[in-house]
């Protein structure tokens, strides 16, 4: 995997009353994202404490922008209406567009220092 990939990790708080609607929305997002060839990882998990984690990785800046633009234009309002908190951790090579969309979350930007993956 090159250093050109863009990584986003969202930790999302969803009230129990919104969980079913959130799961339905995430199913829509997964289906849409599967059709984006530059979306390498789009996974979501729920922890025992009820928080949700969304892991995203994009092949490069163009593909990251394409996905985030589609999210911002078509899903963001519904997504944030269902959440009561959202923390973001983002690779420091995120584009100005991605940074602008996530600005309200005050993301933690991280710099890759080493390691590998096998896909």
């Amino acid at each position: 995997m090159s250093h050109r990939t863009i990584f986003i990790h969202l930790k999302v708080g969803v009230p129990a009353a919104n969980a079913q609607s959130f799961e339905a929305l995430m199913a829509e997002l997964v289906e849409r994202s599967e059709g984006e060839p530059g979306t390498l990882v789009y996974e979501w998990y729920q922890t025992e404490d009820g928080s949700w984690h969304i892991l995203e990785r994009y092949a490069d800046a163009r593909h990251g922008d394409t996905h985030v633009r589609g999210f911002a234009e078509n899903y963001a309002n519904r997504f944030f209406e269902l959440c009561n908190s959202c923390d973001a951790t983002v690779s420091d090579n995120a584009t100005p567009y991605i940074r602008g969309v996530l600005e309200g979350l005050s993301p933690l930007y991280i710099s890759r220092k080493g390691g590998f993956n096998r896909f």
Side-chain angles (χ1 to χ4, degrees), residues 5 7 16 23 27 35 49-50 52 54 57 60 64-65 68-69 73 76 81 110-111:
T5 64
F7 170 80
E23 289 186 44
D49 71 0
W52 299 82
I54 303 167
R57 186 177 294 269
D60 54 33
D65 281 359
V68 173
R69 182 169 282 107
E73 293 173 357
E81 286 174 358
I110 57 174
S111 300

Side-chain angles (χ1 to χ4, degrees), residues 1-69:
M1 185 71 42
S2 80
H3 293 284
R4 298 179 318 146
T5 64
I6 295 174
F7 170 80
I8 300 172
H9 170 203
L10 301 176
K11 179 181 178 189
V12 182
V14 177
N18 293 348
Q20 187 173 4
S21 296
F22 183 77
E23 289 186 44
L25 176 59
M26 287 305 303
E28 279 183 55
L29 282 162
V30 167
E31 183 177 349
R32 179 183 181 277
S33 299
E34 282 181 312
E36 300 170 343
T39 299
L40 304 176
V41 175
Y42 198 83
E43 299 175 325
W44 54 297
Y45 302 85
Q46 186 177 27
T47 63
E48 290 180 4
D49 71 0
S51 64
W52 299 82
H53 293 260
I54 303 167
L55 306 177
E56 308 174 26
R57 186 177 294 269
Y58 305 98
D60 54 33
R62 180 174 59 90
H63 290 99
D65 281 359
T66 296
H67 175 84
V68 173
R69 182 169 282 107

Side-chain angles (χ1 to χ4, degrees), residues 97-116:
Y97 179 78
I98 293 171
R99 287 174 179 256
V101 168
L102 298 177
E103 182 178 41
L105 301 177
S106 300
L108 171 65
Y109 288 99
I110 57 174
S111 300
R112 181 177 175 178
K113 297 300 182 188
F116 69 93

Side-chain angles (χ1 to χ4, degrees), residues 74-117:
N74 300 298
Y75 298 95
N77 287 340
R78 288 173 35 202
F79 183 89
F80 289 110
E81 286 174 358
L82 296 171
C83 303
N84 59 12
S85 66
C86 186
D87 297 320
T89 302
V90 182
S91 57
D92 68 347
N93 64 334
T95 66
Y97 179 78
I98 293 171
R99 287 174 179 256
V101 168
L102 298 177
E103 182 178 41
L105 301 177
S106 300
L108 171 65
Y109 288 99
I110 57 174
S111 300
R112 181 177 175 178
K113 297 300 182 188
F116 69 93
N117 59 62

